[in-house]
Amino acid sequence: MFTICIFVFFFQARRPLAYCQLNINVPIIRLWLDVERELSPEFRLSRKAMHAVQRLLRRSQDHGWGHELEVLVYVYWLAHGLSYRVTASVFHIPRSTVHRMVHKVAQLIWKNLHRAITFPLPADLDNVASGFELLSGSPAFNRAVGAIDGSHIRIKPPSIDRLDYLNYKGFYSIIMQAVCDSEGKFLDIFVGYPGSVHDTRVLKNSPLYVNRTYPPPGYFLLGDGGYPCLERPICLIAPYKEPVAGRVERRFNFHHSKARSVVERAFGMMKTRWRATLFKALEVKATFAPVVTASCAFLHNICLENGDQLEPDEDAQDHGPNQDFQGIPDANEMPGNAARDRVANLI
């Protein structure tokens, strides 16, 4: 049987010692080594996107199986939603090794989220805003630079405080809050709050809100009715509550929805790509689930940047009733009703 050896260089006896052996006749390894074959059917990533992920996560490593294989194993595990045992049998490597690789790569992505998920540069803001103007069908939205929403990620709840994870839709989850641009690329994510928490509370505890990170002055975000309409500390424009009072408010809500729905599409694309993992309860501890979820968003952005587009399945998009915002502004907040009226009057 042909094998390829991966070495650790010890200077004992002045010669390398074999660390482990990998069977290159395993079908999944043969697929990777055949550069003419596409990876998408097995890995849910194109070969170009896979190379981009491996470049972003490259680091000096003088032992182990090598970072390329570690990334392959992690992406395959994510793409198929498999147990560590089954993934180990596919690659013909020990189960304990797969477990270590999965956690290692997931934590590495977590530490490097900023390399794929980041706010646009000041010089790019007007381009982002132009995209939302196009989506909305109205020049009134030419200062929108992001759409915000939350999505529920199914998990197996912990035995302690399990009811905290039971959401209003009736299943256990954690919440991923995200801001995306007009192309569905994530600009910011905040993940980990239990599913029973309202979107507004998630927002008000996120760095985006607490640190007034985004959007810059003069621009605004678009959010659904689950968010408060705010001018400060961040400018977030929500739709008028139904039933609306007249044609101006109706027109505004129509164009607002056309632009804002891109974030639902972004979640849909992410969940469609990783449907084997995200369409069922994550088979990991609740403390690890946010890390896995964040890695799905990271990989989603890399795919978009490398032309690896994927149409979202209808059942992957977060349609359905939302929990409308019912609160009153906090002391540090300035309502955004006047800002919303100014935009509405431009339509």
Side-chain angles (χ1 to χ4, degrees):
M1 181 180 292
F2 293 101
T3 58
I4 181 171
C5 295
I6 302 173
F7 294 103
V8 170
F9 286 89
F10 294 105
F11 291 99
Q12 301 169 358
R14 296 184 179 179
R15 63 186 180 87
L17 302 177
Y19 182 83
C20 48
Q21 291 185 321
L22 181 67
N23 182 5
I24 63 171
N25 282 327
V26 173
I28 199 68
I29 302 301
R30 291 170 68 99
L31 170 64
W32 167 246
L33 294 176
D34 186 350
V35 297
E36 299 299 320
R37 295 176 64 188
E38 190 46 74
L39 301 180
S40 296
E42 291 294 336
F43 291 94
R44 306 293 289 169
L45 260 69
S46 67
R47 189 172 287 270
K48 182 180 179 182
M50 182 71 80
H51 283 303
V53 175
Q54 291 172 333
R55 283 195 304 272
L56 280 176
L57 300 180
R58 183 174 291 127
R59 65 207 180 282
S60 59
Q61 182 170 326
D62 61 358
H63 65 284
W65 295 79
H67 85 280
E68 286 190 355
L69 179 64
E70 291 172 346
V71 172
L72 283 178
V73 169
Y74 181 72
V75 173
Y76 187 88
W77 172 80
L78 200 61
H80 294 275
L82 299 173
S83 67
Y84 299 132
R85 179 183 58 80
V86 175
T87 305
S89 69
V90 171
F91 284 86
H92 284 211
I93 56 180
R95 177 190 175 281
S96 60
T97 300
V98 169
H99 180 276
R100 185 168 59 251
M101 286 179 174
V102 165
H103 283 257
K104 181 179 180 179
V105 174
Q107 292 291 346
L108 185 62
I109 291 175
W110 181 264
K111 293 176 182 178
N112 287 276
L113 288 176
H114 63 279
R115 303 192 68 182
I117 302 173
T118 184
F119 294 118
L121 296 172
D124 296 327
L125 285 170
D126 286 343
N127 287 333
V128 176
S130 294
F132 279 101
E133 178 183 347
L134 186 63
L135 283 178
S136 71
S138 170
F141 289 86
N142 65 355
R143 307 303 281 176
V145 289
I148 186 170
D149 202 359
S151 183
H152 289 270
I153 307 298
R154 294 176 182 268
I155 66 164
K156 287 195 170 181
S159 56
I160 300 175
D161 299 325
R162 64 185 292 116
L163 288 180
D164 289 346
Y165 293 86
L166 184 64
N167 65 42
Y168 72 100
K169 297 182 179 182
F171 60 88
Y172 296 101
S173 66
I174 57 172
I175 299 171
M176 174 180 163
Q177 175 186 282
V179 177
C180 77
D181 67 11
S182 59
E183 296 180 351
K185 178 183 175 182
F186 294 123
L187 305 178
D188 180 72
I189 63 171
F190 181 59
V191 58
Y193 262 72
S196 65
V197 178
H198 193 280
D199 284 349
T200 301
R201 183 180 167 196
V202 176
L203 169 68
K204 292 185 179 183
N205 284 277
S206 67
L208 177 82
Y209 177 95
V210 173
N211 301 327
R212 307 181 184 192
T213 310
Y214 192 79
Y219 297 92
F220 57 86
L221 300 180
L222 302 172
D224 66 18
Y227 292 101
C229 193
L230 296 173
E231 192 156 357
R232 286 198 304 267
I234 64 172
C235 194
L236 195 167
I237 304 299
Y240 290 101
K241 291 188 180 300
E242 299 286 347
V244 295
R247 289 183 297 175
V248 171
E249 292 186 3
R250 186 178 301 109
R251 285 200 306 267
F252 173 87
N253 279 6
F254 172 75
H255 292 284
H256 180 283
S257 178
K258 287 180 66 177
R260 184 201 56 79
S261 61
V262 68
V263 68
E264 295 176 356
R265 177 176 170 79
F267 282 131
M269 286 190 286
M270 183 185 79
K271 289 185 174 181
T272 297
R273 188 177 298 276
W274 308 115
R275 64 180 302 124
T277 294
L278 299 181
F279 268 42
K280 61 181 182 180
L282 281 173
E283 297 284 346
V284 298
K285 292 182 178 179
T287 53
F288 187 45
V291 181
V292 175
T293 304
S295 72
C296 292
F298 176 92
L299 294 169
H300 164 86
N301 275 11
I302 291 176
C303 288
L304 291 186
E305 290 170 0
N306 287 274
D308 188 356
Q309 297 278 352
L310 189 66
E311 286 299 312
D313 294 339
E314 180 61 28
D315 57 350
Q317 300 193 62
D318 288 343
H319 298 310
N322 293 309
Q323 290 180 298
D324 287 339
F325 174 70
Q326 301 292 342
I328 58 175
D330 293 341
N332 67 318
E333 293 178 340
M334 178 178 177
N337 297 0
R340 179 174 58 195
D341 291 343
R342 288 194 296 270
V343 176
N345 288 327
L346 294 174
I347 298 175

